[in-house]
Amino acid sequence: MWMAATTSLAGKVKTLVRAAGEGIADAAALLRAGQLVAFATETVYGLGADATQAAAVRRIYKVKRRPADNPLIVHVLNQRQAEDYAVGFDDVARILARRFWPGPLTMVVGRGEKIPAEVSAGLPTMAVRCPAHKAAQRLLAALGRPIAAPSANLSGHVSPTTAADVLAELEGRIPLILDGGPCRVGVESTVIDLTVDPPVVLRPGSVTVEMIHAALRRKLGTRVEAIGTTSMSGNAVAKSPGMSKRHYAPVTPTYRYLRGEWHQVRAWLNRYRPRARVVRLSCEKSGAVGGQEVLIHLSAKGEQCARHLYKNLRTADSRGYDLILVEMPPDRGHVWTAIRDRIRRASQEWPP
Ligand code: TXA
Ligand code: MG
């Protein structure tokens, strides 16, 4: 049977890419059989396993080469399913679910006993999110159980935002990719920890701290903190172990610089790396480009910049340049907080 042929991890498997509309039933059957399926969500593509099967979940870590201490997100069909599998899904969680689900908000709550410890890297908590993309919704409905899914890239790499990106990362390692088109949001979901008081945003995304704050203040008067703010209690970082590491990074050495610093960067390159082939990512349209240098334009509109950020990093990474230089966009709040966070994780500070 074709499914049995795909069970060995040692031997390469054939990776099929199918239109999400046509592949749902087979994808659900693979998940039920303990296999992995990559699928589109509105943020980035996910690498899914049936969240109730410990062996299938372990397979995610193996296929992604993900460190065992980095917990996964559990995707659910709706709030009812979230409440069924989590514990401590309280009023704060309900308000946020009603306001932001389905959508790019992940909430850390207590882990129920139907979710194996492997999903959360042994933590007593679990991260839960209800994705808005139709393909993800239909897959969850067909399976009838939650799906554990990290982004569908090898650990440390840039997250995939198209089926082709997933194929480039995981070909020969998984049996099926459900192609749901390019992702609308382009950066991973906002992660908020609701097991602490006040709640803490652990990873910025397109659902911003301001939006969460507004939703909670109106109903409960609850405050929200964000990771990296000075007021934040020190142990929040340790609560999400995977997030302190370098992440979302191209293979090519990548540096970030500040707007207005480019002339200094160019002078430094001329002096120390005169022969380096350089690709520069910038929101500025200025075409001051030398012979050895290529410019990739990042949109100055936040949502578009986020949507295409990983594609642009992948493009920069795929063409054999010696250096990638990314201009840090100014902090204008909203989705720019997430964009700046991802650029920071993808790069080292210039000068080296
Ligand atoms: O948009 C997204 O969230 C995508 C799509 C596929 O849904 N998924 C995604 O998963 O970005 P991943 O594994 O790349 O990122 C999950 C993040 C990690 O930083 C992890 O540390 C955090 O969520 N996380 C998961 N479970 C947690 C928990 N129990 N406590 C704290 N942080 C947790
Ligand atoms: Mg990831």
Side-chain angles (χ1 to χ4, degrees):
M1 203 177 98
W2 66 283
M3 247 184 261
T6 66
T7 49
S8 158
L9 259 186
K12 277 206 160 195
V13 303
K14 173 147 180 56
T15 305
L16 294 179
V17 180
R18 295 183 64 186
E22 291 153 21
I24 298 288
D26 287 340
L30 282 165
L31 291 174
R32 233 171 259 127
Q35 300 289 331
L36 307 187
V37 172
F39 61 98
T41 84
E42 71 277 20
T43 55
V44 301
Y45 275 70
L47 175 62
D50 178 342
T52 66
Q53 296 186 42
V57 169
R58 282 197 293 273
R59 197 181 278 261
I60 291 181
Y61 287 88
K62 195 163 171 186
V63 161
K64 271 198 67 143
R65 304 195 191 109
R66 184 177 178 103
D69 68 355
N70 193 359
L72 310 176
I73 293 174
V74 175
H75 296 70
V76 290
L77 183 59
N78 49 36
Q79 184 181 331
R80 189 150 37 84
Q81 195 175 51
E83 297 203 30
D84 192 18
Y85 284 85
V87 293
F89 202 93
D90 60 7
D91 284 347
V92 173
R94 288 198 189 96
I95 288 166
L96 295 181
R98 244 172 264 136
R99 169 73 178 79
F100 298 108
W101 281 5
L105 179 70
T106 297
M107 299 190 248
V108 177
V109 293
R111 176 166 54 84
E113 58 191 18
K114 285 185 282 188
I115 298 295
E118 281 86 346
V119 169
S120 299
L123 295 171
T125 56
M126 82 183 219
V128 63
R129 141 165 144 86
C130 174
H133 197 292
K134 272 209 177 65
Q137 283 275 328
R138 292 185 55 205
L139 185 59
L140 283 160
L143 181 63
R145 289 196 286 261
I147 297 174
S151 49
N153 50 279
L154 294 176
S155 185
H157 286 190
V158 176
S159 297
T161 54
T162 64
D165 294 346
V166 179
L167 193 66
E169 290 280 320
L170 299 178
E171 180 161 27
R173 305 177 75 81
I174 56 171
L176 180 62
I177 300 168
L178 285 183
D179 185 351
C183 300
R184 176 173 55 81
V185 176
V187 293
E188 303 81 354
S189 62
T190 306
V191 179
I192 185 166
D193 185 355
L194 300 184
T195 68
V196 289
D197 188 18
V200 175
V201 171
L202 299 173
R203 180 173 72 180
S206 67
V207 171
T208 65
V209 175
E210 295 92 329
M211 289 158 70
I212 294 170
H213 198 80
L216 292 182
R217 196 184 41 212
R218 215 170 32 238
K219 303 266 187 192
L220 296 175
T222 306
R223 236 159 27 96
V224 186
E225 291 182 282
I227 206 159
T229 58
T230 44
S231 61
M232 205 186 61
S233 47
N235 62 3
V237 181
K239 285 205 71 171
S240 198
M243 296 209 281
S244 52
K245 289 174 193 142
R246 190 157 167 265
H247 239 109
Y248 319 117
V251 177
T252 311
T254 303
Y255 294 94
R256 61 182 178 276
Y257 64 94
L258 300 177
R259 179 164 294 184
E261 249 179 17
W262 178 248
H263 287 293
Q264 285 157 266
V265 178
R266 186 69 261 175
W268 184 92
L269 288 169
N270 289 344
R271 173 145 188 205
Y272 296 106
R273 301 289 303 273
R275 273 187 289 278
R277 295 174 61 249
V278 171
V279 55
R280 173 181 159 209
L281 280 67
S282 165
C283 289
E284 279 174 319
K285 279 215 170 98
S286 78
V289 183
Q292 301 269 71
E293 187 186 312
V294 166
L295 185 69
I296 294 180
H297 181 246
L298 301 177
S299 176
K301 295 199 177 109
E303 282 180 10
Q304 279 185 44
C305 185
R307 188 176 305 149
H308 300 300
L309 179 66
Y310 287 152
K311 183 194 75 185
N312 285 327
L313 283 172
R314 273 176 191 276
T315 303
D317 203 18
S318 67
R319 298 201 183 149
Y321 295 102
D322 300 309
L323 288 172
I324 300 174
L325 288 152
V326 189
E327 181 193 283
M328 190 60 126
D331 188 2
R332 278 170 276 172
H334 305 286
V335 74
W336 292 105
T337 307
I339 293 168
R340 285 163 55 87
D341 171 74
R342 300 312 189 275
I343 291 175
R344 234 176 265 122
R345 289 166 195 269
S347 62
Q348 295 164 270
E349 218 169 320
W350 180 86

